[in-house]
């Protein structure tokens, strides 16, 4: 494997990163390459934590900006090696999120006298269950490395600042019944039929729209799975309706659960999983300066990203990276080289030379 040249065009760095397979749990090779390249930059302090690589400046600046990107991808889907079609890069990770990683690596090497102290975090296992996420391990083992005045997460955002993120909660509503032979159905109680009530409430639900810092977040409540039944000739005695709630960041996780218990009052509800959202934090001076450098416009992040982890630490955080997020995790992932360069130029203007 050729060494990464961090002084090259960031689009070329992205190409090199994409051609290093790094499905979640198998990031050692790409972490080695990133560590080797960053260790050549004499102005950076570099450490390795598992298959995460961290680097930072220690210039004594009054503020610190964190730039964070995950190195892993979802499984290969006949989209490696990288294919270059004119200005467009096609392949696994071009969007999610090796284009963003390439920008951060390029800046780590070429921005040597920034206006802020900088911390770069390239971490593992973002695309799998939260318990394995490298940021969580870093928070436990190297908490000092995640302290800053602003965090920029390089998730794809169409090269637009996406501030904060919505929370997500998964619940299950269970309905009980009594088994019977379907030839004598009147002797039983059909649990699947009992789902009519929670489904009616879902159909009538009206999602809330919330404006925070001038950005509009739209909540959503959707049934995502139905399970029930034991055989083709048995009245089912249990049915489960799985529901996902995307809630605006002005609600805490506790408030989100309380709201759902009101919506499904009288029904058997259990929370399966929850991740709190993150307020946009655009009133923070460093965040406002980034928005100005990006052209003065920002949008609300409707999905959940690791900006929420930084927000929980008290650090305002935004998403800013090249690529269309709707292409993430698809076989058709692709990103324009010009968009990668655009993100690099905005961040360079913001960070200083």
């Amino acid at each position: 494997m050729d060494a990464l040249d961090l002084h090259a065009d960031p689009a070329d760095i992205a190409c090199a990163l994409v051609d290093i397979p790094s499905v979640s749990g198998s990031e050692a090779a790409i972490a080695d390459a990133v560590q080797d390249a960053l260790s050549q930059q004499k102005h950076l302090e570099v450490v390795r934590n598992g298959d995460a690589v961290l680097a930072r400046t220690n210039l004594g600046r009054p503020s610190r900006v964190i730039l964070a990107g995950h190195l892993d991808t979802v499984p290969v889907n006949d989209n490696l090696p990288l294919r270059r079609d004119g200005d467009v890069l096609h392949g696994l990770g071009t969007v999610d999120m090796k284009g963003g990683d390439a920008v951060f690596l390029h800046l780590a090497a070429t921005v040597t006298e920034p206006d802020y102290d900088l911390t770069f975090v390239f971490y593992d296992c973002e695309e799998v269950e939260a318990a394995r996420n490298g940021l969580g391990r870093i928070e436990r083992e190297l908490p000092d490395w995640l302290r800053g005045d602003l965090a920029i997460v390089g998730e794809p955002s169409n090269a637009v600042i996406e501030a904060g993120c919505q929370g997500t909660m998964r619940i299950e509503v269970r309905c009980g019944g009594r088994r019977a032979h379907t030839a004598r159905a009147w002797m039983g109680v059909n649990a699947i039929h009992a789902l009519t009530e929670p489904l009616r409430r879902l159909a009538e639900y009206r999602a809330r729209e919330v404006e925070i810092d001038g950005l509009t977040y739209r909540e959503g409540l959707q049934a995502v799975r139905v399970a029930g039944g034991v055989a083709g000739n048995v009245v089912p005695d249990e049915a489960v309706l799985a529901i996902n709630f995307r809630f605006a960041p002005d609600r805490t996780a506790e408030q989100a659960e309380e709201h759902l218990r009101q919506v499904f009052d009288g029904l058997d509800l259990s929370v399966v999983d929850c991740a709190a959202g993150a307020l946009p934090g655009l009133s923070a001076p460093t965040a406002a300066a980034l928005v100005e450098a990006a052209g003065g416009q920002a949008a609300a992040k409707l999905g959940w990203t690791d900006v929420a982890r930084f927000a929980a630490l008290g650090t305002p955080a935004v998403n800013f990276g090249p690529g269309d997020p709707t292409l993430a995790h698809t076989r058709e992932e692709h990103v324009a080289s010009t968009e990668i360069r655009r993100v690099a130029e905005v961040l360079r203007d913001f960070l200083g030379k």
Side-chain angles (χ1 to χ4, degrees), residues 6-7 18 22-23 43 77 92 121 123 169 178 192 220 247 266 269 293 337:
L6 303 189
H7 291 265
V18 170
S22 57
V23 175
H43 63 288
N77 186 14
L92 177 62
V121 181
Y123 60 101
M169 177 174 287
R178 185 172 65 251
I192 292 178
F247 55 95
L269 179 154
S337 298

Side-chain angles (χ1 to χ4, degrees), residues 14-35:
C15 292
L17 293 175
V18 170
D19 276 337
I20 306 174
S22 57
V23 175
S24 303
S26 301
E27 300 97 333
I30 195 169
D32 288 345
V34 168
Q35 182 180 9

Side-chain angles (χ1 to χ4, degrees), residues 38-39 41-48 53-58 64 118-120 142 144-145:
L38 289 173
S39 295
Q41 316 309 316
K42 300 306 181 185
H43 63 288
L44 295 175
E45 174 190 0
V46 180
V47 300
R48 179 79 172 254
V53 183
L54 303 91
R56 66 185 175 189
T57 64
N58 295 291
R64 180 173 291 275
L118 306 179
T119 299
F120 299 89
L142 299 170
D144 179 61
W145 283 80

Side-chain angles (χ1 to χ4, degrees), residues 137-151:
R137 187 185 65 251
I138 293 166
E139 181 181 349
R140 293 188 300 271
E141 299 178 6
L142 299 170
D144 179 61
W145 283 80
L146 298 184
R147 296 194 181 108
D149 300 280
L150 174 70

Side-chain angles (χ1 to χ4, degrees), residues 168-176 195 198-199 202 221-228 238-245 256-257 260-261 263-274:
T168 179
M169 177 174 287
R170 290 188 296 120
I171 65 169
E172 289 181 345
V173 174
R174 294 179 179 272
C175 292
L195 292 178
L199 287 171
L202 279 170
L221 187 64
Q222 293 289 312
V224 294
R225 181 174 52 82
V226 176
E238 184 179 63
V240 180
L241 178 64
I243 298 168
N244 181 227
F245 183 37
E257 179 179 348
L260 293 186
R261 292 195 180 279
V263 172
F264 298 105
D265 183 43
L267 298 173
D268 180 6
L269 179 154
S270 59
V271 176
V272 176
D273 186 37
C274 182

